[in-house]
Structures are given as C-alpha cells and as structure tokens.
C-alpha cells in the first residue's frame, strides 16, 4: 500500500533537516557553537536565547501546519471538511500579533544588553594586528613587533587583540568563528574588531564574503600562544625571516593563492598606504565620525619609495 503523500513529505523534510545539521559543521565541528573567547561566548549565549525564543513560535506553527494539512485535507469521505468562519476575533488577533512583538522586544533587549556589557579593553593591555584581505590571501601586519605574516596570525592567549581590517581587493569579511563575529574588509576603510582567545590553540579563520575564483581557499589560522611563546616567536621572525619590500607587496597583492609566509619587516606605513590609495578621504571621514582610533596619512607611491 502506498504511503500517504503527506507522510512522504514529512520524511523528506526530516531527512533534509538532518543533512543540513550534519553538513553544516567544519570537520565535524560546529565552530560557532564552540566559543573560545569572551566575545564568542556572548554571541553563543545570544544564539541560544534566540533559538529558544524562536522555537516558541516555530514549533507550534509547524505542529499546527502538519495537523491542519492532514486533518482537513481534501479527499473522498473526509468527515471534517474545512469551513472557515471569517468573523473577527480580537483575542486571537492579540495572540498572534502580540507574541512576535514580545519576542522581538526580548531579542532586542538581550542583544543591546550583551553588546554593551562586552569589556572594552584598555589600550596598554592589548596588541594591534592590521589585516588586509587580498586576492586570495590574508596579510597580517604587527605594527608593535614590526613584522608581518601571510595566512596565519599568532596572538598571545588571554590578551585582547584589536584587529584593524581593510581590503586591497574586492570587499571581503574577516571571520574567526570561535573567537567572535565577522567584520567586513572594505577598500578605503579601516574597521576595528576586538577579539580574545582565552586559551592557547589554533583557531580556524576564513573570508566569509564571495570574492571570486580563489574565495574557497581564503583561509587562515589564528594561533594563540602564551605571552612568552608569542614574544619568542616574534623575535625569531625578526631575526630569520626575509623582509617584505614594496615590490614584494605588489607581487603578493596580485590575484592568486599563497602559502603561509613570514616577514621580518615591511614598508613603513604600508597599512595606511593601502587604506588611502583605495579612498583616503572616505577613510578620514569614517575615522572622524566613528572613531577608528588612528590618524590617516597620505602615502603616495613616491613617498613609499623614499622610505625604501
């Protein structure tokens, strides 16, 4: 005997939902649900609260939908035909409009509260990492250590890190799921993102905005080390790695994939030069109105050559 069409549809929906859950992780891990820092932990709690509040509406609606479709389906001999009564019911109107309004209000309240409760790290305890998205790789500049890396970013564990991001290619999105949310990298703009890794380890990062042929390979690792190990690593790079010249940067910025690389130095003002050459006035206006925290400088190509 053939199964009813409704039961087959329900089976397909369940199988599709199971497939989505299984395939949504990265290497069998749900990285967004495995926070390893204060920002990611706050976002995880918001995800849980949002899921619970949404379930209050979604689950009853799904159950009622299945019940109504099955109970009042059109078939010969159905003893419960659907005959709607279109009379206005104030109580029901209040219920199905009031519940979503309350849920949205609660989501807004918890989101604002959690956002403003996040710690604002004082500058002396933080380090800065300047990030540039390229086609199709990531350049990390350490202005305090005077070194640079490609496709990996060591940081000290337990220390707030100010990532300042821009793009010297199409707009992208800088994202380390286990440490916090993503922020867009845009030409001519320098956006900030505070993140922190609570414990040593390797954390998966990627570009989360489609940017062309090599987009799928725009991945990097954030490697959290103890402060002593981080300082030792920075000193070793300073002594052993080659320097990044302006010509070297031009070659690096060309579309193409790149392996992990380290540089003992880089052209002075490189990050500011990248921001300004892609729309300096826009960046300056953004800095003045949104407080990106640094003065922009005019670095034309001749000025870069004078330094190097």
């Amino acid at each position: 005997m053939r199964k009813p069409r409704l039961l087959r549809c329900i089976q397909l929906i369940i199988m599709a939902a199971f497939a989505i859950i299984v395939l949504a992780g990265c290497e069998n891990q749900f990285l967004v649900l495995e926070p390893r820092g204060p920002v990611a932990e706050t976002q995880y709690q918001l995800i849980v609260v949002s899921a619970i509040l949404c379930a209050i509406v979604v689950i009853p609606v799904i159950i009622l939908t299945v019940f109504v479709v099955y109970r009042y389906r059109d078939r010969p001999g159905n003893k419960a035909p659907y005959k709607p009564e279109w009379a206005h019911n104030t109580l029901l109107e209040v219920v199905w409009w009031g519940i979503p309004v309350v849920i949205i209000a609660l989501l807004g309240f918890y989101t604002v509260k959690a956002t403003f409760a996040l710690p604002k790290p004082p500058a002396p305890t933080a380090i800065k990492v300047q990030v540039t998205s390229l086609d199709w790789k990531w350049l990390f500049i350490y202005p305090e250590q005077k070194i640079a890396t490609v496709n990996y970013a060591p940081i000290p564990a337990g220390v707030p890190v100010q990532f300042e991001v821009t793009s010297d290619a199409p707009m992208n999105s800088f994202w380390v799921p286990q440490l916090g949310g993503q922020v867009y990298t845009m030409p001519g703009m320098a956006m900030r993102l505070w993140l922190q890794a609570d414990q040593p380890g390797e954390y998966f990062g990627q570009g989360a905005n489609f940017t062309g042929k090599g987009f799928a390979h725009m991945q990097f690792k954030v490697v959290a080390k103890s402060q002593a190990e981080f300082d030792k690593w920075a000193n070793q790079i300073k002594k052993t790695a080659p320097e990044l010249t302006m010509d070297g940067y031009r070659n690096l910025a060309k579309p193409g994939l790149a392996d992990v690389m380290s540089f003992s130095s880089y052209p002075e003002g490189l990050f500011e030069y990248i921001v300004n050459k892609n729309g300096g006035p826009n960046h300056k206006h953004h800095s003045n109105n949104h407080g990106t925290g640094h003065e922009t400088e005019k670095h034309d190509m001749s000025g870069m050559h004078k330094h190097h």
Side-chain angles (χ1 to χ4, degrees):
M1 185 175 182
R2 294 182 61 188
K3 293 182 180 180
R5 181 177 298 179
L6 175 64
L7 294 180
R8 291 202 301 273
C9 291
I10 293 175
Q11 289 177 341
L12 290 174
I13 292 172
I14 294 174
M15 292 173 62
F18 178 77
I20 292 173
I21 292 174
V22 170
L23 298 176
C26 177
E27 297 180 356
N28 299 324
Q29 294 181 350
F30 298 93
L31 298 181
V32 176
L33 304 182
E34 297 180 1
R36 294 293 185 269
V39 177
E41 181 64 35
T42 298
Q43 293 176 342
Y44 170 76
Q45 293 171 3
L46 286 174
I47 290 173
V48 173
V49 171
S50 301
I52 293 173
L53 291 175
C54 291
I56 294 174
V57 172
V58 172
I59 293 177
V61 167
I62 293 175
I63 293 174
L64 289 173
T65 300
V66 173
F67 171 76
V68 169
V69 170
Y70 183 79
R71 183 73 176 83
Y72 297 102
R73 66 196 185 280
D74 186 13
R75 67 172 185 173
N78 188 1
K79 297 180 181 181
Y82 179 57
K83 297 180 179 180
E85 297 179 2
W86 300 106
H88 176 75
N89 189 312
T90 303
L91 178 60
L92 291 179
E93 291 282 353
V94 171
V95 170
W96 59 56
W97 283 104
I99 292 178
V101 169
V102 171
I103 289 176
I104 292 173
L106 288 174
L107 283 174
F109 171 77
Y110 281 113
T111 300
V112 172
K113 181 180 178 181
T115 300
F116 281 91
L118 284 172
K120 298 175 177 57
T125 65
I127 71 165
K128 178 186 285 189
V129 180
Q130 296 171 326
V131 185
T132 302
S133 63
L134 303 169
D135 280 335
W136 293 278
K137 74 279 295 181
W138 293 90
L139 173 65
F140 298 91
I141 295 174
Y142 295 76
E144 297 164 4
Q145 289 73 26
K146 306 297 182 184
I147 58 176
T149 61
V150 173
N151 289 341
Y152 83 111
I155 61 173
V159 175
V161 181
Q162 177 192 350
F163 289 98
E164 191 173 15
V165 304
T166 190
S167 176
D168 200 4
M171 184 176 76
N172 211 302
S173 181
F174 176 81
W175 189 30
V176 187
Q178 289 182 280
L179 300 185
Q182 56 91 20
V183 63
Y184 284 107
T185 66
M186 295 179 283
M189 304 286 280
M191 311 298 291
R192 292 190 306 175
L193 177 68
W194 290 96
L195 297 178
Q196 178 177 319
D198 285 337
Q199 52 189 299
E202 289 189 357
Y203 302 101
F204 173 80
Q206 68 175 28
N209 194 62
F210 180 74
T211 55
K213 181 179 178 181
F215 158 75
H217 302 283
M218 280 195 70
Q219 300 176 355
F220 59 91
K221 288 184 178 180
V222 173
V223 185
K225 309 170 179 282
S226 67
Q227 184 67 60
E229 291 178 334
F230 175 79
D231 293 337
K232 182 179 179 180
W233 165 81
N235 290 331
Q236 183 179 8
I237 295 300
K238 195 72 177 175
K239 295 176 181 178
T240 61
E243 67 174 0
L244 176 62
T245 64
M246 199 61 206
D247 288 338
Y249 173 74
R250 291 194 196 95
N251 290 329
L252 184 66
K254 294 178 181 179
L257 304 180
D259 295 326
V260 169
M261 293 184 282
S262 302
F263 302 101
S264 60
S265 64
Y266 56 87
E268 182 181 351
L270 177 59
F271 184 79
E272 290 77 10
Y273 161 73
I274 294 170
V275 172
N276 283 306
K277 86 182 185 73
N278 288 299
N282 293 332
H283 169 63
K284 184 176 182 180
H285 175 77
H286 178 80
S287 300
N288 292 337
N289 287 281
H290 300 279
T292 57
H294 79 268
E295 299 279 340
T296 60
E297 301 177 20
K298 299 289 186 179
H299 288 274
D300 57 13
M301 295 301 295
S302 61
M304 297 297 293
H305 283 300
K306 289 178 182 178
H307 286 293
H308 299 275

